[in-house]
Amino acid sequence: MKPPTAHLDPQPWPWVGQLRVLIEHPDEATGLALASVLRGEGFAVAVCPGPAESERCPLVGPEGCAAAHGADVVVTALGLDRPAGREVLAALRARLPGTPLVVAADSVVDPDWLLASVREALAERAGDVA
């Protein structure tokens, strides 16, 4: 008999009235530090460490990812040198083509660069809509 498979049940964003930023960073402490910078500037922020080495990101599967789908901008530092990072990036572009995406070249993300990049991505998106 096959054991039941666990299904992730991503919840919708609880914040209303704030711009929502999803930070994908493999190091929890760094992701939380970056989130703190953005929260200090008034953004609602969720942090995702990305998939474990032996797992696939829900975003690339049929269930999707509520955090990614509800974000106004996604910041990813999962690394393009890893197959999982490239797979997540491809899934973000395919499933969320209208959501701005900020790709950090490596896992060391300067907070000033992050804030400027998020603001620029959101401004460009607002310019596309107008």
Side-chain angles (χ1 to χ4, degrees):
M1 185 163 144
K2 193 174 181 182
T5 57
H7 292 286
L8 294 176
D9 186 20
Q11 300 299 307
W13 287 74
W15 304 283
V16 177
Q18 291 177 279
L19 290 170
R20 298 163 301 209
V21 180
L22 172 61
I23 295 178
E24 298 177 330
H25 200 289
D27 179 67
E28 181 179 8
T30 302
L32 292 173
L34 295 172
S36 180
V37 169
L38 292 172
R39 287 182 183 129
E41 295 295 320
F43 294 98
V45 184
V47 179
C48 174
E53 286 296 325
S54 62
E55 298 176 358
R56 292 187 78 197
C57 177
L59 186 63
V60 302
E63 65 272 12
C65 173
H69 287 282
D72 294 302
V73 63
V74 176
V75 177
T76 186
L78 294 180
L80 298 177
D81 57 331
R82 293 179 43 218
R86 291 189 301 272
E87 184 177 54
V88 169
L89 185 61
L92 285 167
R93 286 296 78 198
R95 287 190 172 209
L96 308 169
T99 301
L101 179 62
V102 174
V103 179
D106 57 37
S107 62
V108 179
V109 180
D110 175 65
D112 293 330
W113 175 86
L114 172 68
L115 186 56
S117 296
V118 166
R119 286 184 173 152
E120 182 180 333
L122 289 168
E124 287 177 6
R125 185 184 84 176
D128 288 344
V129 174

